[in-house]
Amino acid sequence: MTDILASTDDATLAAQGPYDLFAKWFADATATEVNDPNAMALATVDETGQPSVRVVLMKDYDALGFVFYTNFESDKGRALLANPVAGLNFHWKALRRQVRVNGTVAPVSAAEADEYFAIRPRDSQVGAWASAQSRPLASRATFEAEIAAVAARYEGRDVPRPPHWSGFRITPKRIEFWQDRPFRLHDRAIFTPVAGGGWSVHRLYP
């Protein structure tokens, strides 16, 4: 696959913007990664300043940012509502590439959340109601009883989206593309938004 970072000058990268490059890299990852090319590490900071990181699945991206969905009452949901900044990291090991994103966070619209929730598997829709995410669970049997109760409640009809379940969009303030090179002489290109629109690009030593 073409080593875009090494073969493309900064002015061309800036003119194309980071989402064009991300789309190319994500297409490569989709073709080569065995599991979940849309997996990304999500780092948050809670109201006490305690950082936390976990892997979530990106469900959409466009020129506005990167979107994932969760229970707003979970640890990450509460952290993002209290302190709406986040870091993301995509690591595609087979391709030896990473994409790092830092930015601000805001909930997606209700219409966006409804549209995505409607296409989720029914069992996942039921689970969104049954799981008190991140809170103590007495036993697996307790959870399975909650799942059965929700499934019975909505038997024969559509499962609505829970009011506490929605999505977040991370709007980038910085996007780094990292390409492995021999002897740890890697390529690193940083995109940052420019006032009035567009992007600037600069390189970093590995």
Side-chain angles (χ1 to χ4, degrees), residues 105-120:
V105 180
V108 303
S109 69
E112 286 179 273
D114 288 341
E115 182 178 1
Y116 174 68
F117 190 81
I119 65 171
R120 297 188 88 207

Side-chain angles (χ1 to χ4, degrees), residues 45-159:
V45 180
D46 68 17
E47 63 275 11
T48 70
Q50 175 65 43
S52 184
V53 65
R54 77 288 284 161
V55 175
V56 300
L57 297 180
M58 177 189 71
K59 291 301 182 180
D60 193 19
Y61 74 93
D62 56 23
L64 299 176
F66 300 86
V67 175
F68 75 97
Y69 290 86
T70 189
N71 185 325
F72 278 13
E73 296 174 355
S74 66
D75 284 348
K76 61 182 172 295
R78 289 185 287 108
L80 288 170
L81 291 172
N83 194 5
V85 294
L88 307 176
N89 184 64
F90 296 87
H91 179 212
W92 297 308
K93 188 175 180 64
L95 294 171
R96 299 182 180 276
R97 290 173 176 167
Q98 295 184 74
V99 178
R100 298 173 61 201
V101 179
N102 294 94
T104 56
V105 180
V108 303
S109 69
E112 286 179 273
D114 288 341
E115 182 178 1
Y116 174 68
F117 190 81
I119 65 171
R120 297 188 88 207
R122 187 176 181 86
D123 285 350
S124 296
Q125 294 175 336
V126 168
W129 282 98
S131 176
Q133 191 173 346
S134 299
R135 279 158 284 180
L137 174 62
S139 68
R140 181 71 191 187
T142 299
F143 185 31
E144 290 176 353
E146 291 288 344
I147 294 170
V150 174
R153 185 190 316 156
Y154 293 109
E155 186 174 2
R157 57 193 180 104
D158 290 342
V159 180

